[in-house]
Amino acid sequence: MDVDAVNKFSSLHAKPNGLILQYGTAGFRTKAYHLDHVMYRMGLLAVLRSKQTKSTIGVMVTASHNPEEDNGVKLIDPLGEMLAPSWEEHATHLANAEEQDIQAVLAEISHREAVNLQQKAMIVIGRDTRPSSEKLSQSVIDGVSVLGGQYHDYGLVTTPQLHYLVCCQNTNGQYGKATIEGYYQKLSKAFVELTKQTFRSGDEYRALKIDCASGIGALKLKEMECYLPRELSLHLFNDGTKGKLNHLCGADFVKSHQKPPLGIEVKPNERCCSFDGDADRIIYYYNDADGRFHLIDGDKIATLISSFLKELLSEVGENLKIGIVQTAYANGSSTRYLEEVMKVPVHFTKTGVKHLHHKAQEFDIGIYFEANGHGTVLFSKAAEMKIRQLAKEETDGKKRKAAVMLENVIDLINQTVGDAISDMLLIEAILALKGLSVQQWDAIYTDLPNRQLKVKVADRQVIDTTDAERRAVTPLGLQEVIDDLVKKYRFSRAFVRPSGTEDVVRVYAEADSQGSKELNLGVISSACS
């Protein structure tokens, strides 16, 4: 390790006095002007992680659905998964270290993780379209270079695309070709194969309006359009040519405000969707004939996909175990429908995609979508091998057809992480194959009225939770207040949980009517503050 070089560059990427940051599910996120030192140090850390795993590691510069003036960074582990928890701790320690301690912290990490400093390191880097992202990416490159790591800067990519590229690099192309073109080719081929009989049979011209949150999704969809069949007509709005990233648009805005984004006219019964700024979330919606807005969030996406896969598995005749993973934010109607109508087991985890992803890996086919639209489908290696074998060798025509369709789903889904583009293509394929309109999809079950808000508090850590964050342990008496409230209303449910990044408490309530839910929220918010 060239101590002089590390120290020299550390002084060029100085840490602001008093700034303390925590690496969480979303990596580091804050105002862009606070992040130069963090980016440099994550370049350093990525090199150590690459040396330790003897694999390519990804570094993505993005703040996803956050406002344009924010930015962030996350590291991507060898198979496209999120950074291992022990290395999250290293990231936090390194980011908050004083300048004079950088070399010592790097040495400590190297010792604790048995890093061979002579091992070669390869880092791939991507960024979103924020004005600050290019400069911050260069800070990452400085960190990679000073420790002698090699790097490939992919420039503007969606977060899921960088996850895909990392996985491809580390599986020697078994997951796919490690280029953006390879990503387009893999997904589009699977989509075409999955839908070719439907489109050939004269299915109507399928138009979809997409709000791209003025982010990277628009650029990548434009590049991908030539790979997709003309029967799928994509109309892009908030494409980045004007307007600020995520401002009054995008999946988070639509979900939180439960209304269409600015910049898109939603005509009656038109099928529309919104991405977020880095294209790893997707939300559908439409206006009915009376102009009433209908949101189709991650819960209904999970229900549509799980129903489709269960039908195919039934036709194949294989006893593969499906599991649905939800968080406390999942609408109660979705949970009841999945368990009581579809007879599919539902499991709950803490909020945060890393918790859902980990739980979903316990099943042959694990399906998770947060209510905000971030999610995917995971096929175990054993299940994938079985399905591909059946697609190749099954002699029964009906079973083989179902197995081939499942194989196409495997290729269409970006299993490394939630991906708005691949999720959109799977949803569009299922709707076409089942002949469902957006209204029919929405009518599968009726969401309970729900609302969530943030309560500013002096110390969010006074609230501790259990049961996948659905019950409060401390402060004493808070859960009893919630229990007394919810028992007064039909299908009422509420919970509070501390934010992972802000000094706020998040409050959620749902009930059988809007008035009941509003009363729950008001009283619970007062109890929290």
Side-chain angles (χ1 to χ4, degrees), residues 255 283-284 295-302 370-371 373 445 447:
K255 169 64 177 172
I283 292 289
Y284 271 73
L295 177 70
I296 303 178
D297 64 7
D299 296 334
K300 283 194 175 174
I301 292 173
E370 293 182 289
Y445 63 81
D447 278 329

Side-chain angles (χ1 to χ4, degrees), residues 90 141 153 166 208 215-216 220 234 280 288 297 303 399 412 438 460 468 479 489 492 519 525:
H90 296 326
I141 292 172
D153 184 5
V166 171
L208 174 66
I216 186 66
K220 296 305 170 181
L234 306 179
D280 66 358
D288 62 24
D297 64 7
T303 302
K399 288 184 178 181
L412 180 54
V438 68
R460 67 182 186 273
Q479 188 59 50
Y489 308 102
S492 181
L519 180 58
S525 298

Side-chain angles (χ1 to χ4, degrees), residues 363-483:
F363 308 99
D364 294 320
I365 303 176
I367 302 166
Y368 72 85
F369 276 86
E370 293 182 289
N372 62 29
H374 191 176
T376 192
V377 182
L378 300 179
F379 289 81
S380 71
K381 187 56 64 177
E384 179 180 343
M385 290 176 63
K386 183 64 176 178
I387 289 166
R388 292 193 188 279
Q389 181 183 12
L390 288 169
K392 183 179 181 180
E393 300 176 359
E394 178 60 58
T395 57
D396 182 287
K398 185 176 181 181
K399 288 184 178 181
R400 184 176 184 277
K401 179 181 177 182
V404 169
M405 293 179 75
L406 283 168
E407 185 177 41
N408 289 328
V409 171
I410 292 171
D411 291 333
L412 180 54
I413 280 291
N414 187 348
Q415 297 187 63
T416 64
V417 71
D419 184 339
I421 293 176
S422 69
D423 291 343
M424 177 198 76
L425 291 175
L426 179 59
I427 291 165
E428 290 300 309
I430 295 172
L431 293 177
L433 287 163
K434 296 176 73 70
L436 289 175
S437 67
V438 68
Q439 302 96 313
Q440 290 170 320
W441 176 19
D442 184 34
I444 291 175
Y445 63 81
T446 301
D447 278 329
L448 292 170
N450 61 90
R451 182 82 182 277
Q452 54 183 299
L453 53 77
K454 299 187 292 187
V455 179
K456 188 74 174 177
V457 294
D459 180 11
R460 67 182 186 273
Q461 301 303 333
V462 299
I463 292 184
D464 191 19
T465 62
T466 188
D467 189 21
E469 301 179 312
R470 291 181 290 179
R471 295 188 64 81
V473 177
T474 60
L476 294 176
L478 176 58
Q479 188 59 50
E480 285 72 16
V481 171
I482 297 173
D483 291 342

Side-chain angles (χ1 to χ4, degrees), residues 38 63 86 122 198 286 297 357 378 426:
V38 173
S86 62
M122 181 65 191
T198 298
Y286 69 100
D297 64 7
H357 197 91
L378 300 179
L426 179 59

Side-chain angles (χ1 to χ4, degrees), residues 265-281:
E265 181 186 1
V266 183
K267 296 179 180 178
N269 298 322
E270 281 187 329
R271 196 169 67 262
C272 305
C273 69
S274 286
F275 291 0
D276 65 339
D278 67 336
D280 66 358
R281 295 184 183 186

Side-chain angles (χ1 to χ4, degrees), residues 67-86:
E68 185 174 273
E69 57 269 22
D70 291 359
N71 218 318
V73 60
K74 60 177 72 173
L75 272 63
I76 301 171
D77 257 1
L79 295 181
E81 67 268 55
M82 285 164 285
L83 186 63
S86 62

